[in-house]
């Protein structure tokens, strides 16, 4: 690893799949923690997803070691318990009760490792819904995010695993808070985050809007905007761009920048609320103006003015984004087939540096032998475990 490694001395064992759980470990690993990912015999099935799931494994499993265990076998379970006994942090996102049934629940493991911080990533926090199966999409639909994203009557999930990832981030926040508390008490604890409650936190602003205005929030495509100009506009070369004019000072600047003397001369719309109310007569003129500009020329005019703007980008555009390339926002990752690509690193900077290092995705069980040796197992015991099928891999 290069760049900041503030979590270098933390040892983490991860029993996870899909996105939410692996995202927790991915963030901690990118900050220098030593993460051992426990996969089933044959490897995590997430490795083999196609379509929209094909990017899950490479994005959220970098900088981790891999060991394959049969948790249905006594020997495999014994290895899992030994891993937990030497860990600072355990992460799991199995179905509710699954880890307890395996004897790997918090109470059982904390008895031998009272300093263990045990992070459970679930669909719901404890309550009437906690036994339900949840997915990112389930949470978005239940929690109101899909309703707010799509047009009226057409709920639409966000175009990324936003709840899985944000729920993972809340898990990291809880872990780091527990680490700080452990510094004072010497004891670990169980922490949880969830998909549903994460969604509720994200739509909290719309709940507050009802409390303030007395009116339910409308879906975003049908909302009454807080600003008169806060839209995607078509350009002369059919390359759309977003422009926002979010203060009265920016309205003056926008009018001057594009020669909108008649609009600036109208003193009745100098204040934002008045412009919102006059939006129907302002916007046709603004749309017609923007449509006379090519997008790159428009960006050149807006650059450095303080006016918010954004060309409408696609995920594939980000590989060549000059800002990301110059700022270390992407790091090289060697995929399972040997292909080297660039993927996002953590969107933070510490002491002037970004977490950034070349990562190679581990083959399933690639670190099994070395992880077992790190637990103090001798060669004969490791070979016996491999022969029994309780563990699988190399390393």
């Amino acid at each position: 690893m290069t760049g900041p490694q503030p979590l270098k001395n933390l040892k983490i064992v991860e029993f996870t799949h899909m996105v939410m759980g692996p995202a927790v470990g991915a963030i901690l690993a990118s900050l220098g923690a030593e993460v051992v990912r426990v996969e089933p015999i044959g490897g995590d099935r997430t490795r083999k997803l196609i379509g929209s799931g094909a990017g899950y494994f490479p994005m959220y499993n970098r900088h981790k070691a891999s060991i394959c265990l049969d948790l249905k076998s006594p020997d495999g379970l014994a290895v899992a318990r030994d891993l937990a006994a030497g860990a600072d942090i355990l992460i799991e996102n199995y179905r509710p009760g699954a880890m307890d049934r395996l004897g790997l629940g918090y109470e059982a493991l904390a008895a031998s490792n009272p300093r263990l911080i045990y992070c459970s990533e679930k669909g719901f926090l404890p309550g009437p819904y906690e036994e339900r199966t949840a997915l990112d999409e389930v949470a978005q639909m239940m929690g109101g995010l899909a309703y707010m994203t799509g047009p009226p009557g057409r709920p639409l999930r966000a175009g990324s695993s936003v709840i899985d990832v944000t729920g993972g981030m809340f898990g990291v926040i809880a872990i780091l808070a527990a680490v700080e508390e452990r510094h004072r008490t010497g004891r670990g604890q169980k922490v949880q985050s969830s998909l549903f409650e994460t969604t509720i936190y994200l739509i909290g602003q719309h709940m507050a809007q009802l409390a303030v205005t007395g009116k339910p929030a409308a879906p975003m495509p049908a909302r009454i905007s807080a600003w008169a100009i806060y839209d995607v506009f078509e350009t002369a070369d059919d390359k759309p761009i977003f422009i926002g004019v979010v203060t009265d000072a920016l309205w003056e600047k926008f009018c001057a920048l594009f020669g909108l003397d008649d609009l600036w001369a109208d003193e009745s719309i100098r204040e934002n609320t008045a412009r919102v109310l006059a939006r129907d007569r302002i916007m046709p003129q603004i749309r017609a103006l923007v449509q006379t500009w090519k997008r790159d020329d428009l960006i050149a005019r807006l650059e450095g003015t303080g006016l918010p703007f954004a060309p409408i980008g696609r995920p594939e555009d980000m590989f060549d984004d000059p800002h990301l390339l110059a700022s270390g926002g992407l790091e090289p990752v060697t995929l399972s087939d040997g292909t080297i690509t660039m993927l996002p690193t953590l969107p933070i900077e510490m002491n002037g540096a970004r977490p950034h290092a070349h990562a190679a995705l581990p083959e399933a069980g690639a670190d099994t032998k070395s992880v077992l040796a790190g637990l103090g197992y001798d060669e004969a015991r490791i070979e016996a475990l491999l022969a029994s099928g309780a563990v699988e891999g190399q390393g």
Side-chain angles (χ1 to χ4, degrees):
M1 291 287 291
T2 58
Q5 299 182 56
L7 305 184
K8 185 175 182 179
N9 294 324
L10 290 179
K11 293 185 176 181
I12 299 169
V13 59
E14 184 184 311
F15 297 83
T16 67
H17 65 125
M18 298 295 280
V19 176
M20 191 188 190
V24 179
I27 294 169
L28 299 174
S30 290
L31 292 171
E34 178 186 315
V35 180
V36 175
R37 172 85 191 278
V38 175
E39 300 188 52
I41 301 299
D44 179 10
R45 304 304 181 262
T46 307
R47 290 174 175 271
K48 299 176 182 178
L49 290 177
I50 61 174
S52 62
Y56 291 173
F57 196 85
M59 182 61 199
Y60 302 111
N61 290 283
R62 287 171 276 162
H63 308 301
K64 300 177 184 179
S66 171
I67 180 174
C68 291
L69 299 181
D70 178 3
L71 295 179
K72 295 180 181 180
S73 75
D75 287 339
L77 272 176
V79 173
R81 292 192 188 98
D82 287 344
L83 284 167
D88 292 290
I89 297 158
L90 183 147
I91 305 162
E92 66 92 12
N93 71 326
Y94 289 174
R95 290 282 302 274
M99 291 289 278
D100 292 302
R101 289 191 291 273
L102 290 168
L104 298 174
Y106 172 68
E107 298 297 337
L109 297 180
S112 58
N113 182 3
R115 289 178 55 81
L116 181 68
I117 295 167
Y118 190 107
C119 177
S120 284
E121 300 282 292
K122 300 300 182 189
F124 305 89
L125 292 180
Y129 299 157
E130 65 182 301
E131 295 299 323
R132 291 187 185 182
T133 299
L135 303 167
D136 188 297
E137 197 142 348
V138 168
Q140 291 194 40
M141 296 292 172
M142 283 188 67
L145 182 59
Y147 170 83
M148 289 302 300
T149 303
R154 292 172 55 196
L156 182 68
R157 66 157 287 164
S160 174
S161 301
V162 60
I163 304 302
D164 275 323
V165 177
T166 309
M169 292 165 61
F170 280 124
V172 172
I173 292 169
I175 286 169
L176 296 181
V179 169
E180 175 59 26
E181 187 166 310
R182 188 173 67 183
H183 290 157
R184 299 193 300 274
T185 67
R187 294 192 62 84
Q189 61 182 282
K190 183 177 181 178
V191 301
Q192 288 187 254
S193 71
S194 71
L195 294 170
F196 180 63
E197 281 79 2
T198 291
T199 308
I200 302 308
Y201 193 87
L202 293 184
I203 60 94
Q205 67 192 77
H206 304 306
M207 297 169 66
Q209 180 182 335
L210 172 62
V212 170
T213 68
K215 297 179 181 179
M220 295 297 280
R223 75 196 186 285
I224 298 175
S225 176
W227 302 282
I229 300 173
Y230 199 76
D231 295 85
V232 175
F233 296 87
E234 294 298 326
T235 61
D237 51 356
D238 296 322
K239 296 178 179 179
I241 186 170
F242 168 84
I243 300 174
V245 180
V246 294
T247 68
D248 296 335
L250 287 176
W251 171 244
E252 179 178 8
K253 182 174 288 188
F254 184 77
C255 289
L257 198 64
F258 292 102
L260 298 170
D261 299 336
D262 57 331
L263 287 176
W264 179 247
D266 186 347
E267 295 187 7
S268 71
I269 55 173
R270 293 278 178 90
E271 197 273 331
N272 178 68
T273 299
R275 288 194 299 278
V276 173
L277 295 174
R279 175 177 162 85
D280 287 347
R281 69 179 175 88
I282 293 173
M283 283 302 292
Q285 185 173 347
I286 304 301
R287 290 196 182 281
L289 165 76
V290 174
Q291 210 156 17
T292 66
W293 287 74
K294 291 184 177 180
R295 188 177 70 178
D296 288 349
D297 294 336
L298 194 59
I299 289 172
R301 175 61 65 94
L302 291 166
E303 193 77 72
T305 65
L307 281 155
F309 70 91
I312 307 306
R314 302 165 300 179
E316 57 265 34
D317 299 332
M318 299 306 112
F319 288 107
D320 300 312
D321 183 86
H323 178 83
L324 293 175
L325 295 176
S327 64
L330 303 175
E331 65 182 18
V333 179
T334 301
L335 303 179
S336 299
D337 63 1
T339 302
I340 298 178
T341 188
M342 301 292 287
L343 293 176
T345 187
L346 291 187
I348 63 173
E349 182 178 277
M350 298 182 70
N351 200 27
R354 297 287 300 272
H356 188 280
H358 192 140
L361 292 182
E363 293 295 325
D367 306 285
T368 294
K369 287 186 177 180
S370 58
V371 169
L372 294 176
L375 293 175
Y377 292 15
D378 61 27
E379 187 173 344
R381 185 177 181 187
I382 293 171
E383 292 302 324
L385 285 168
L386 288 166
S388 73
V391 305
E392 181 181 71
Q394 312 135 39

